Amino acid sequence: MELLKEMADAFILLIRVGAVLRVVFCFIHLGIDEEQSASYKKKMKNAVVFYVLAESIWQIKDLVMSYYM
């Protein structure tokens, strides 16, 4: 059970780091390529939405696990 907990923690850390890096990448490209700024803004919005959904799902999972255990 401890291995599963460690893997879950690593997975959520990977999601957090990936979302932050994606937003930073889009910010950098916003400054470089102004012709496609709308595209990069949409990509940043999608990354933020993904992060919020992932965190929400994670919290719901924790609530359900604490309820049944």
Side-chain angles (χ1 to χ4, degrees), residues 2 15 19-21 23 25 27 33-34 36-37 43-44 47 49 51-52 58 61-63:
E2 190 65 32
I15 288 173
V20 169
L21 288 177
V23 170
F25 174 80
F27 265 126
D33 192 8
E34 295 175 6
Q36 294 184 358
S37 66
K43 289 177 184 180
M44 279 193 304
V49 168
Y51 176 71
V52 168
W58 206 257
K61 182 213 62 104
D62 286 343
L63 286 171

Side-chain angles (χ1 to χ4, degrees), residues 2-56:
E2 190 65 32
L3 178 64
L4 185 62
K5 174 90 170 103
E6 289 176 12
M7 288 176 57
D9 291 341
F11 187 67
I12 196 67
L13 180 67
L14 184 63
I15 288 173
R16 290 174 180 163
V17 171
V20 169
L21 288 177
R22 180 66 176 171
V23 170
V24 169
F25 174 80
C26 290
F27 265 126
I28 291 170
H29 278 277
L30 267 174
I32 294 172
D33 192 8
E34 295 175 6
E35 292 176 357
Q36 294 184 358
S37 66
S39 171
Y40 285 113
K41 286 179 184 176
K42 185 176 179 182
K43 289 177 184 180
M44 279 193 304
K45 180 185 154 235
N46 289 341
V48 170
V49 168
F50 166 75
Y51 176 71
V52 168
L53 286 174
E55 284 291 329
S56 298

